[in-house]
Coordinates of all heavy atoms in Angstrom, one line a residue:
M1 N -7.4 -20.4 -15.2 CA -7.0 -19.2 -16.0 C -8.0 -18.9 -17.1 O -8.3 -17.8 -17.4 CB -5.5 -19.4 -16.5 CG -5.0 -18.2 -17.1 SD -4.7 -17.0 -15.8 CE -3.9 -15.8 -16.7
K2 N -8.4 -20.0 -17.7 CA -9.4 -19.9 -18.9 C -10.7 -19.2 -18.3 O -11.3 -18.4 -19.0 CB -9.6 -21.2 -19.5 CG -10.5 -21.1 -20.7 CD -10.7 -22.4 -21.3 CE -11.6 -22.4 -22.5 NZ -11.9 -23.6 -23.1
Q3 N -11.1 -19.7 -17.1 CA -12.4 -19.1 -16.6 C -12.2 -17.6 -16.3 O -13.1 -16.9 -16.4 CB -12.7 -19.9 -15.3 CG -14.0 -19.4 -14.7 CD -14.3 -20.3 -13.5 OE1 -13.6 -21.1 -13.0 NE2 -15.5 -20.0 -12.9
I4 N -11.1 -17.2 -15.7 CA -10.9 -15.8 -15.5 C -10.9 -14.9 -16.7 O -11.5 -13.9 -16.8 CB -9.5 -15.6 -14.7 CG1 -9.6 -16.2 -13.3 CG2 -9.1 -14.1 -14.6 CD1 -8.2 -16.2 -12.6
I5 N -10.3 -15.4 -17.8 CA -10.3 -14.7 -19.1 C -11.7 -14.7 -19.6 O -12.2 -13.6 -20.1 CB -9.4 -15.4 -20.0 CG1 -7.9 -15.2 -19.6 CG2 -9.5 -14.8 -21.4 CD1 -6.9 -15.9 -20.3
N6 N -12.4 -15.8 -19.5 CA -13.8 -15.8 -20.0 C -14.7 -14.8 -19.2 O -15.6 -14.1 -19.7 CB -14.4 -17.2 -19.9 CG -13.9 -18.1 -21.0 OD1 -13.5 -17.6 -22.0 ND2 -14.0 -19.4 -20.7
N7 N -14.5 -14.8 -17.8 CA -15.3 -13.8 -17.0 C -14.9 -12.4 -17.4 O -15.8 -11.5 -17.4 CB -15.0 -14.1 -15.6 CG -15.7 -15.3 -15.1 OD1 -16.7 -15.8 -15.7 ND2 -15.3 -15.9 -13.9
L8 N -13.7 -12.1 -17.6 CA -13.3 -10.7 -18.1 C -13.9 -10.4 -19.4 O -14.5 -9.3 -19.5 CB -11.8 -10.6 -18.2 CG -11.0 -10.5 -16.9 CD1 -9.5 -10.6 -17.1 CD2 -11.4 -9.2 -16.1
L9 N -14.0 -11.3 -20.3 CA -14.6 -11.0 -21.6 C -16.1 -10.9 -21.5 O -16.7 -10.1 -22.1 CB -14.2 -12.1 -22.6 CG -12.7 -12.1 -23.0 CD1 -12.5 -13.2 -24.0 CD2 -12.4 -10.8 -23.7
N10 N -16.7 -11.7 -20.7 CA -18.2 -11.7 -20.4 C -18.6 -10.4 -19.7 O -19.7 -10.0 -19.8 CB -18.6 -12.9 -19.7 CG -18.6 -14.1 -20.5 OD1 -18.7 -14.1 -21.8 ND2 -18.5 -15.3 -19.9
S11 N -17.7 -9.8 -18.9 CA -18.0 -8.6 -18.2 C -18.2 -7.4 -19.2 O -18.9 -6.4 -18.9 CB -16.8 -8.2 -17.3 OG -16.6 -9.2 -16.3
L12 N -17.7 -7.5 -20.4 CA -17.9 -6.4 -21.4 C -19.2 -6.5 -22.1 O -19.6 -5.5 -22.7 CB -16.7 -6.6 -22.4 CG -15.3 -6.5 -22.0 CD1 -14.3 -6.7 -23.1 CD2 -15.1 -5.1 -21.3
D13 N -19.9 -7.6 -21.9 CA -21.3 -7.8 -22.5 C -22.3 -7.4 -21.5 O -22.5 -8.0 -20.5 CB -21.5 -9.2 -23.0 CG -22.7 -9.4 -23.8 OD1 -23.4 -8.3 -24.1 OD2 -23.1 -10.5 -24.1
N14 N -23.1 -6.4 -21.8 CA -24.1 -5.9 -20.9 C -25.4 -6.8 -20.8 O -26.2 -6.6 -19.9 CB -24.5 -4.4 -21.2 CG -23.4 -3.4 -20.9 OD1 -22.6 -3.7 -20.1 ND2 -23.4 -2.3 -21.6
K15 N -25.5 -7.6 -21.8 CA -26.7 -8.5 -21.9 C -26.6 -9.7 -21.1 O -27.6 -10.3 -20.7 CB -27.0 -8.8 -23.4 CG -27.3 -7.6 -24.2 CD -27.5 -8.0 -25.7 CE -27.7 -6.7 -26.4 NZ -27.8 -7.0 -27.9
K16 N -25.4 -10.1 -20.7 CA -25.2 -11.3 -19.9 C -25.1 -11.0 -18.4 O -24.6 -10.0 -18.1 CB -24.0 -12.0 -20.4 CG -24.1 -12.7 -21.8 CD -22.8 -13.4 -22.2 CE -22.9 -13.9 -23.6 NZ -21.7 -14.6 -23.9
D17 N -25.4 -11.9 -17.6 CA -25.2 -11.8 -16.2 C -24.0 -12.5 -15.7 O -23.7 -12.5 -14.5 CB -26.4 -12.3 -15.4 CG -27.6 -11.4 -15.5 OD1 -27.4 -10.2 -15.7 OD2 -28.8 -11.9 -15.3
T18 N -23.3 -13.0 -16.6 CA -22.0 -13.7 -16.3 C -20.8 -12.7 -16.3 O -21.0 -11.6 -16.8 CB -21.8 -14.8 -17.3 OG1 -21.6 -14.2 -18.6 CG2 -22.8 -15.9 -17.3
G19 N -19.8 -13.1 -15.6 CA -18.6 -12.2 -15.6 C -18.5 -11.4 -14.3 O -19.3 -11.6 -13.4
F20 N -17.5 -10.6 -14.3 CA -17.3 -9.8 -13.0 C -18.1 -8.5 -13.1 O -18.5 -8.0 -14.1 CB -15.8 -9.4 -12.9 CG -14.9 -10.6 -12.8 CD1 -14.0 -10.8 -13.8 CD2 -15.0 -11.4 -11.8 CE1 -13.1 -11.9 -13.7 CE2 -14.1 -12.5 -11.7 CZ -13.2 -12.8 -12.7
S21 N -18.4 -7.9 -11.9 CA -19.2 -6.7 -11.8 C -18.2 -5.5 -12.2 O -17.0 -5.6 -12.1 CB -19.8 -6.5 -10.4 OG -18.7 -6.3 -9.5
G22 N -18.8 -4.4 -12.6 CA -18.0 -3.2 -12.9 C -17.2 -2.7 -11.7 O -16.2 -2.2 -11.8
K23 N -17.8 -2.8 -10.5 CA -17.2 -2.3 -9.3 C -15.9 -3.1 -9.1 O -14.9 -2.6 -8.8 CB -18.1 -2.4 -8.1 CG -17.5 -1.8 -6.9 CD -18.6 -1.7 -5.8 CE -18.4 -2.8 -4.8 NZ -19.3 -2.7 -3.6
K24 N -16.0 -4.4 -9.3 CA -14.8 -5.3 -9.0 C -13.7 -5.0 -10.1 O -12.5 -4.9 -9.8 CB -15.1 -6.8 -9.1 CG -15.9 -7.3 -7.9 CD -16.3 -8.7 -8.1 CE -17.2 -9.2 -7.0 NZ -17.7 -10.5 -7.2
L25 N -14.1 -4.8 -11.3 CA -13.2 -4.5 -12.4 C -12.5 -3.1 -12.2 O -11.3 -3.0 -12.4 CB -13.8 -4.5 -13.7 CG -14.3 -5.8 -14.3 CD1 -15.1 -5.7 -15.6 CD2 -13.1 -6.7 -14.5
T26 N -13.2 -2.2 -11.7 CA -12.7 -0.8 -11.3 C -11.7 -1.0 -10.2 O -10.6 -0.3 -10.3 CB -13.8 0.1 -10.9 OG1 -14.8 0.2 -12.0 CG2 -13.3 1.5 -10.7
I27 N -12.0 -1.7 -9.2 CA -11.1 -1.9 -8.0 C -9.9 -2.6 -8.4 O -8.7 -2.2 -8.1 CB -11.8 -2.6 -6.9 CG1 -12.9 -1.7 -6.3 CG2 -10.9 -3.1 -5.8 CD1 -13.9 -2.4 -5.3
I28 N -10.0 -3.6 -9.3 CA -8.8 -4.3 -9.7 C -7.9 -3.4 -10.5 O -6.6 -3.4 -10.4 CB -9.2 -5.6 -10.5 CG1 -9.8 -6.6 -9.6 CG2 -8.1 -6.2 -11.3 CD1 -10.4 -7.8 -10.4
S29 N -8.5 -2.6 -11.4 CA -7.6 -1.7 -12.2 C -7.0 -0.6 -11.4 O -5.8 -0.3 -11.6 CB -8.4 -1.1 -13.4 OG -9.5 -0.4 -12.8
I30 N -7.7 -0.1 -10.4 CA -7.1 0.9 -9.5 C -5.9 0.4 -8.7 O -4.8 1.0 -8.6 CB -8.2 1.6 -8.6 CG1 -9.1 2.4 -9.4 CG2 -7.5 2.4 -7.5 CD1 -10.3 2.9 -8.7
V31 N -6.2 -0.8 -8.1 CA -5.1 -1.4 -7.4 C -3.9 -1.8 -8.3 O -2.7 -1.6 -7.8 CB -5.6 -2.7 -6.7 CG1 -4.5 -3.5 -6.0 CG2 -6.6 -2.2 -5.5
A32 N -4.1 -2.3 -9.5 CA -3.0 -2.5 -10.4 C -2.2 -1.3 -10.7 O -1.0 -1.4 -10.7 CB -3.5 -3.2 -11.6
C33 N -2.9 -0.2 -10.9 CA -2.2 1.1 -11.2 C -1.3 1.5 -10.0 O -0.2 2.0 -10.2 CB -3.1 2.2 -11.5 SG -3.9 1.9 -13.2
V34 N -1.9 1.4 -8.8 CA -1.2 1.8 -7.6 C 0.0 0.9 -7.4 O 1.1 1.4 -7.1 CB -2.1 1.7 -6.4 CG1 -1.3 1.9 -5.1 CG2 -3.1 2.9 -6.5
I35 N -0.1 -0.4 -7.6 CA 1.0 -1.3 -7.4 C 2.1 -1.0 -8.5 O 3.3 -1.0 -8.1 CB 0.6 -2.8 -7.5 CG1 -0.2 -3.2 -6.3 CG2 1.7 -3.7 -7.7 CD1 -0.9 -4.5 -6.3
F36 N 1.7 -0.7 -9.7 CA 2.7 -0.4 -10.7 C 3.4 1.0 -10.3 O 4.6 1.0 -10.6 CB 2.0 -0.2 -12.0 CG 2.9 0.2 -13.2 CD1 3.8 -0.8 -13.7 CD2 2.9 1.4 -13.7 CE1 4.7 -0.4 -14.7 CE2 3.8 1.8 -14.7 CZ 4.6 0.9 -15.2
G37 N 2.6 1.9 -9.9 CA 3.3 3.2 -9.5 C 4.2 3.0 -8.4 O 5.3 3.6 -8.3
H38 N 3.9 2.2 -7.3 CA 4.8 1.9 -6.2 C 6.1 1.2 -6.8 O 7.2 1.5 -6.3 CB 4.1 1.1 -5.2 CG 3.3 1.9 -4.2 ND1 2.1 2.5 -4.6 CD2 3.4 2.2 -2.9 CE1 1.6 3.1 -3.6 NE2 2.4 2.9 -2.6
Y39 N 5.9 0.3 -7.7 CA 7.1 -0.4 -8.2 C 8.0 0.5 -8.9 O 9.2 0.5 -8.7 CB 6.6 -1.6 -9.1 CG 7.6 -2.3 -9.8 CD1 8.5 -3.2 -9.1 CD2 7.9 -2.1 -11.1 CE1 9.5 -3.9 -9.8 CE2 8.9 -2.8 -11.8 CZ 9.7 -3.7 -11.2 OH 10.7 -4.4 -11.8
K40 N 7.5 1.3 -9.8 CA 8.3 2.3 -10.6 C 8.9 3.3 -9.6 O 10.1 3.7 -9.8 CB 7.5 3.0 -11.6 CG 7.0 2.1 -12.7 CD 8.2 1.4 -13.5 CE 8.6 2.2 -14.6 NZ 9.6 1.5 -15.3
L41 N 8.2 3.7 -8.6 CA 8.8 4.7 -7.6 C 9.9 4.0 -6.8 O 10.9 4.7 -6.5 CB 7.7 5.2 -6.7 CG 8.0 6.4 -5.9 CD1 8.3 7.6 -6.7 CD2 6.9 6.7 -4.9
Y42 N 9.7 2.8 -6.4 CA 10.7 2.1 -5.6 C 12.0 2.0 -6.4 O 13.1 2.0 -5.9 CB 10.2 0.8 -5.2 CG 11.2 0.0 -4.3 CD1 11.5 0.4 -3.0 CD2 11.8 -1.1 -4.8 CE1 12.4 -0.3 -2.2 CE2 12.7 -1.8 -4.0 CZ 13.0 -1.4 -2.7 OH 13.9 -2.0 -2.0
Q43 N 11.9 1.8 -7.7 CA 13.1 1.6 -8.5 C 13.8 2.9 -8.8 O 15.0 2.9 -9.2 CB 12.7 1.0 -9.9 CG 12.4 -0.5 -9.8 CD 12.2 -1.1 -11.1 OE1 11.8 -0.5 -12.1 NE2 12.3 -2.4 -11.2
S44 N 13.2 4.0 -8.6 CA 13.9 5.3 -8.9 C 14.9 5.6 -7.8 O 14.9 5.0 -6.7 CB 12.8 6.4 -9.0 OG 12.2 6.7 -7.7
D45 N 15.8 6.5 -8.1 CA 16.9 6.8 -7.2 C 16.4 7.8 -6.0 O 17.0 7.8 -5.0 CB 18.0 7.5 -8.0 CG 18.7 6.5 -8.9 OD1 18.6 5.3 -8.6 OD2 19.3 7.0 -9.9
N46 N 15.4 8.5 -6.3 CA 14.9 9.5 -5.3 C 13.6 9.2 -4.6 O 12.8 10.0 -4.4 CB 15.0 10.9 -5.9 CG 14.0 11.0 -7.1 OD1 13.4 10.0 -7.5 ND2 13.7 12.2 -7.5
W47 N 13.4 8.0 -4.3 CA 12.1 7.6 -3.7 C 11.9 8.1 -2.3 O 10.8 8.3 -1.9 CB 11.9 6.1 -3.8 CG 12.7 5.2 -2.9 CD1 14.0 4.8 -3.2 CD2 12.4 4.8 -1.6 NE1 14.4 4.1 -2.1 CE2 13.5 4.1 -1.1 CE3 11.3 5.0 -0.7 CZ2 13.5 3.5 0.1 CZ3 11.3 4.4 0.5 CH2 12.4 3.7 0.9
N48 N 13.0 8.4 -1.6 CA 12.9 9.0 -0.3 C 12.3 10.4 -0.4 O 11.6 10.8 0.5 CB 14.3 9.1 0.4 CG 14.7 7.7 0.8 OD1 13.9 6.8 1.1 ND2 16.0 7.5 0.9
Q49 N 12.7 11.1 -1.4 CA 12.1 12.5 -1.6 C 10.7 12.5 -2.0 O 10.0 13.4 -1.8 CB 12.9 13.2 -2.6 CG 14.4 13.4 -2.2 CD 15.3 14.0 -3.3 OE1 14.8 14.1 -4.5 NE2 16.5 14.4 -3.1
L50 N 10.2 11.4 -2.6 CA 8.9 11.3 -3.1 C 7.9 10.6 -2.1 O 6.9 10.1 -2.5 CB 8.8 10.6 -4.5 CG 9.6 11.3 -5.6 CD1 9.7 10.5 -6.8 CD2 9.1 12.7 -5.8
F51 N 8.3 10.4 -0.9 CA 7.6 9.7 0.1 C 6.1 10.3 0.3 O 5.2 9.6 0.5 CB 8.3 9.7 1.5 CG 7.7 8.8 2.5 CD1 7.6 7.5 2.3 CD2 7.1 9.4 3.6 CE1 7.0 6.6 3.3 CE2 6.5 8.6 4.5 CZ 6.4 7.2 4.4
V52 N 6.1 11.6 0.3 CA 4.8 12.3 0.5 C 3.9 12.0 -0.7 O 2.6 11.8 -0.6 CB 5.0 13.9 0.6 CG1 3.6 14.5 0.6 CG2 5.8 14.1 1.8
S53 N 4.4 11.9 -1.9 CA 3.6 11.5 -3.1 C 3.1 10.0 -2.9 O 2.0 9.8 -3.4 CB 4.5 11.6 -4.4 OG 4.9 12.9 -4.6
V54 N 3.9 9.2 -2.4 CA 3.5 7.8 -2.2 C 2.3 7.8 -1.2 O 1.3 7.0 -1.4 CB 4.6 6.9 -1.7 CG1 4.2 5.5 -1.3 CG2 5.7 6.8 -2.8
L55 N 2.5 8.5 -0.1 CA 1.3 8.6 0.9 C 0.1 9.2 0.2 O -1.0 8.7 0.5 CB 1.7 9.4 2.1 CG 2.8 8.7 3.0 CD1 3.1 9.6 4.2 CD2 2.2 7.4 3.6
T56 N 0.3 10.2 -0.6 CA -0.9 10.8 -1.3 C -1.6 9.7 -2.2 O -2.9 9.7 -2.3 CB -0.5 12.0 -2.1 OG1 0.1 12.9 -1.3 CG2 -1.6 12.7 -2.7
I57 N -0.8 8.9 -2.9 CA -1.4 7.9 -3.7 C -2.1 6.9 -2.9 O -3.2 6.5 -3.3 CB -0.2 7.3 -4.6 CG1 0.3 8.1 -5.6 CG2 -0.7 5.9 -5.3 CD1 1.6 7.7 -6.3
D58 N -1.5 6.5 -1.8 CA -2.2 5.5 -1.0 C -3.5 6.0 -0.4 O -4.5 5.3 -0.4 CB -1.2 5.0 0.1 CG -0.1 4.2 -0.4 OD1 -0.2 3.7 -1.5 OD2 0.9 4.1 0.4
F59 N -3.4 7.2 0.2 CA -4.7 7.7 0.8 C -5.7 8.0 -0.3 O -6.9 7.8 -0.1 CB -4.4 9.0 1.6 CG -3.7 8.7 2.8 CD1 -2.6 9.5 3.2 CD2 -4.1 7.8 3.7 CE1 -1.9 9.2 4.4 CE2 -3.4 7.5 4.9 CZ -2.3 8.2 5.2
G60 N -5.3 8.5 -1.5 CA -6.2 8.6 -2.6 C -6.9 7.4 -3.0 O -8.1 7.3 -3.3
T61 N -6.1 6.3 -3.0 CA -6.7 5.0 -3.4 C -7.7 4.5 -2.4 O -8.8 4.0 -2.7 CB -5.6 3.9 -3.5 OG1 -4.6 4.4 -4.5 CG2 -6.1 2.6 -3.9
I62 N -7.3 4.7 -1.1 CA -8.2 4.3 0.0 C -9.6 5.0 -0.1 O -10.7 4.5 0.0 CB -7.6 4.4 1.4 CG1 -6.5 3.4 1.5 CG2 -8.6 4.3 2.5 CD1 -5.5 3.7 2.7
L63 N -9.4 6.4 -0.3 CA -10.7 7.2 -0.4 C -11.5 6.8 -1.6 O -12.7 6.8 -1.6 CB -10.3 8.7 -0.4 CG -9.7 9.2 0.9 CD1 -9.3 10.6 0.8 CD2 -10.7 9.0 2.1
T64 N -10.8 6.5 -2.8 CA -11.6 6.2 -4.0 C -12.3 4.9 -3.8 O -13.5 4.7 -4.1 CB -10.6 6.0 -5.2 OG1 -9.9 7.3 -5.4 CG2 -11.3 5.6 -6.4
L65 N -11.6 3.8 -3.2 CA -12.3 2.6 -3.0 C -13.4 2.7 -2.0 O -14.5 2.1 -2.1 CB -11.3 1.5 -2.5 CG -10.2 1.2 -3.5 CD1 -9.3 0.1 -3.0 CD2 -10.8 0.7 -4.8
F66 N -13.3 3.6 -0.9 CA -14.3 3.8 0.1 C -15.5 4.5 -0.6 O -16.6 4.1 -0.3 CB -13.7 4.6 1.2 CG -14.7 4.8 2.3 CD1 -15.2 3.8 3.1 CD2 -15.2 6.1 2.6 CE1 -16.0 4.0 4.2 CE2 -16.2 6.3 3.5 CZ -16.6 5.3 4.4
G67 N -15.2 5.4 -1.4 CA -16.2 6.2 -2.2 C -17.0 5.3 -3.1 O -18.2 5.4 -3.3
L68 N -16.3 4.3 -3.8 CA -17.0 3.3 -4.6 C -17.9 2.5 -3.8 O -19.1 2.2 -4.2 CB -16.0 2.5 -5.4 CG -15.3 3.0 -6.5 CD1 -14.2 2.1 -7.0 CD2 -16.2 3.3 -7.6
N69 N -17.6 2.1 -2.6 CA -18.4 1.3 -1.8 C -19.6 2.0 -1.3 O -20.7 1.5 -1.3 CB -17.6 0.7 -0.6 CG -18.3 -0.4 0.2 OD1 -19.2 -1.0 -0.4 ND2 -17.9 -0.6 1.3
I70 N -19.4 3.3 -0.8 CA -20.5 4.1 -0.3 C -21.5 4.4 -1.5 O -22.7 4.3 -1.3 CB -20.0 5.4 0.3 CG1 -19.2 5.0 1.5 CG2 -21.1 6.3 0.6 CD1 -19.9 4.4 2.6
T71 N -21.0 4.8 -2.6 CA -21.8 5.1 -3.8 C -22.7 3.9 -4.2 O -23.8 4.0 -4.5 CB -21.0 5.6 -4.9 OG1 -20.2 6.7 -4.5 CG2 -21.9 5.9 -6.1
D72 N -22.0 2.7 -4.2 CA -22.7 1.5 -4.6 C -23.8 1.2 -3.6 O -25.0 0.8 -4.0 CB -21.8 0.3 -4.6 CG -22.4 -1.0 -5.1 OD1 -23.1 -1.0 -6.1 OD2 -22.3 -2.0 -4.4
K73 N -23.6 1.4 -2.3 CA -24.6 1.1 -1.3 C -25.8 2.1 -1.5 O -26.9 1.7 -1.2 CB -24.0 1.2 0.1 CG -23.2 0.0 0.5 CD -22.7 0.1 1.9 CE -21.9 -1.1 2.3 NZ -21.4 -1.0 3.7
K74 N -25.5 3.4 -1.7 CA -26.6 4.4 -1.9 C -27.4 4.1 -3.1 O -28.6 4.3 -3.2 CB -25.9 5.8 -1.9 CG -25.3 6.2 -0.7 CD -26.3 6.6 0.3 CE -25.6 7.1 1.6 NZ -26.5 7.2 2.7
L75 N -26.8 3.7 -4.2 CA -27.5 3.4 -5.5 C -28.3 2.1 -5.5 O -29.3 2.0 -6.1 CB -26.5 3.4 -6.6 CG -25.9 4.8 -7.0 CD1 -24.8 4.6 -8.1 CD2 -26.9 5.8 -7.4
N76 N -27.9 1.1 -4.7 CA -28.5 -0.2 -4.7 C -29.3 -0.6 -3.5 O -29.5 -1.7 -3.3 CB -27.4 -1.3 -5.0 CG -26.8 -1.1 -6.3 OD1 -27.4 -0.7 -7.3 ND2 -25.5 -1.4 -6.4
T77 N -29.7 0.4 -2.8 CA -30.6 0.1 -1.6 C -32.0 0.2 -2.1 O -32.4 1.0 -3.0 CB -30.3 1.1 -0.5 OG1 -30.5 2.4 -0.9 CG2 -29.0 0.9 0.1
T78 N -32.9 -0.6 -1.5 CA -34.3 -0.5 -1.7 C -34.9 0.5 -0.8 O -34.4 0.9 0.3 CB -34.9 -1.9 -1.5 OG1 -34.7 -2.3 -0.2 CG2 -34.4 -2.9 -2.4
P79 N -36.1 1.1 -1.1 CA -36.7 2.1 -0.2 C -37.0 1.6 1.1 O -37.1 2.4 2.1 CB -38.0 2.5 -1.0 CG -37.7 2.1 -2.4 CD -36.8 0.9 -2.4
N80 N -37.2 0.3 1.4 CA -37.6 -0.2 2.6 C -36.4 -0.3 3.6 O -36.6 -0.5 4.8 CB -38.3 -1.5 2.5 CG -39.6 -1.3 1.8 OD1 -40.2 -0.3 1.8 ND2 -40.1 -2.4 1.1
E81 N -35.2 -0.4 3.0 CA -34.0 -0.5 3.9 C -33.6 0.8 4.5 O -33.8 1.9 4.0 CB -32.8 -1.0 3.0 CG -32.9 -2.4 2.5 CD -31.7 -2.8 1.7 OE1 -30.7 -2.0 1.7 OE2 -31.8 -3.8 1.1
T82 N -33.2 0.7 5.8 CA -32.7 1.9 6.5 C -31.2 1.8 6.7 O -30.7 0.7 6.8 CB -33.4 2.0 7.9 OG1 -33.1 0.8 8.6 CG2 -34.9 2.2 7.7
N83 N -30.5 2.9 6.7 CA -29.1 2.9 6.8 C -28.7 3.1 8.3 O -29.0 3.9 9.0 CB -28.5 3.9 6.0 CG -28.6 3.5 4.5 OD1 -28.7 2.4 4.2 ND2 -28.5 4.5 3.6

């Protein structure tokens, strides 16, 4: 647990190569928000009526994570690599 906290704190320092990458931190925070949203929605009385909203949240999350992956690949390729 101490190592995870140290890696999270080291991720905030741009001069060090230790810690988690920005992409991983973004994905963790997006997934945590989606899980929290699903939890709160499940506890509500009218979650059956909000089913379309839940699907929108899920598909939006999938597209966001897919977009992060594609953007990262485009930004971090060398000129000699072919796609």
Side-chain angles (χ1 to χ4, degrees):
M1 187 69 173
K2 183 179 178 181
Q3 183 180 4
I4 292 173
I5 293 172
N6 285 335
N7 284 341
L8 284 173
L9 293 176
N10 288 336
S11 299
L12 300 174
D13 189 7
N14 291 336
K15 297 176 184 176
K16 294 181 181 178
D17 287 335
T18 58
F20 298 118
S21 69
K23 187 170 101 173
K24 288 178 186 173
L25 291 174
T26 303
I27 290 171
I28 289 170
S29 62
I30 289 171
V31 169
C33 289
V34 168
I35 290 172
F36 179 74
H38 279 69
Y39 175 72
K40 293 302 269 185
L41 189 68
Y42 181 72
Q43 285 186 337
S44 70
D45 292 334
N46 60 348
W47 70 273
N48 288 332
Q49 297 171 352
L50 300 173
F51 185 69
V52 174
S53 298
V54 173
L55 288 179
T56 304
I57 290 170
D58 290 340
F59 288 133
T61 302
I62 291 167
L63 291 175
T64 301
L65 297 178
F66 184 69
L68 282 171
N69 192 22
I70 296 296
T71 304
D72 183 54
K73 284 183 180 180
K74 293 288 183 188
L75 292 176
N76 293 326
T77 56
T78 60
N80 295 334
E81 290 182 6
T82 57
N83 290 339

